[in-house]
Amino acid sequence: VFSDMTGWKEMVVIVDEAYRQIGETDRKNTTIYAERNYGYAGAVHFYGRQYNLPDAITFLDSYVLWAPDTIPRGPVIYINHDIAGLCTFFEKITEIGIVRNKYFREDGLKVFLCEQPNDKMTEAYKQKAREEKDRYR
């Protein structure tokens, strides 16, 4: 459906803006996480190549099969309408931008830069990855 892809470019531009705010050293440990939406992850995969962005991770449907079992303890670029419960895992969370496109089904989608992860972040991801992947085993 075309309306699902409308707004993808705008979203990836905001993701790139977040990525460029991360220091060179920390970029190699950065995770792009699309909260339960393979469309967001697909957009980053498709348009992110021109920005040299890493692929995004999501746990929706079969995308979970490509998600790593663990992620590095580093910044997370989080794509979702709200920050959900991530504030318990990071010292600093900055809203980088909002996709504003009335033709995009996900109008109002936000991109957050989550920095200074605490010790619980990587373990929480690891547990979530295990639970999500167990659905397919």
Side-chain angles (χ1 to χ4, degrees):
V1 177
F2 183 71
S3 63
D4 284 341
M5 295 183 299
T6 302
W8 278 15
K9 288 180 186 177
E10 295 94 327
M11 182 197 70
V12 173
V13 166
I14 299 169
V15 169
D16 180 60
E17 183 181 335
Y19 192 66
R20 300 294 157 227
Q21 290 184 28
I22 300 167
E24 284 290 326
T25 307
D26 288 332
R27 283 190 193 157
K28 66 180 182 292
N29 293 320
T30 298
T31 300
I32 301 174
Y33 183 71
E35 181 64 47
R36 304 215 41 95
N37 191 305
Y38 57 77
Y40 308 162
V44 172
H45 178 78
F46 186 78
Y47 289 109
R49 290 178 181 177
Q50 66 194 46
Y51 299 102
N52 295 314
L53 295 174
D55 280 335
I57 297 167
T58 188
F59 290 131
L60 186 65
D61 294 336
S62 63
Y63 252 82
V64 73
L65 302 175
W66 290 278
D69 293 335
T70 61
I71 57 172
R73 185 175 172 182
V76 172
I77 298 171
Y78 183 66
I79 306 167
N80 197 17
H81 285 278
D82 58 54
I83 198 58
L86 285 186
C87 52
T88 61
F89 301 113
F90 295 91
E91 295 297 319
K92 181 180 177 187
I93 298 175
T94 307
E95 183 180 302
I96 302 301
I98 303 172
V99 178
R100 295 283 185 212
N101 183 327
K102 67 181 180 178
Y103 301 109
F104 183 35
R105 281 190 185 176
E106 302 290 335
D107 186 36
L109 181 66
K110 297 177 182 178
V111 175
F112 300 91
L113 176 55
C114 307
E115 300 175 282
Q116 302 168 12
N118 62 34
D119 293 335
K120 298 183 284 186
M121 189 273 297
T122 51
E123 189 54 42
Y125 174 89
K126 192 176 180 179
Q127 180 180 342
K128 177 127 174 115
R130 186 173 35 249
E131 290 170 3
E132 294 291 337
K133 289 180 178 192
D134 281 350
R135 294 178 190 206
Y136 291 90
R137 292 185 184 145

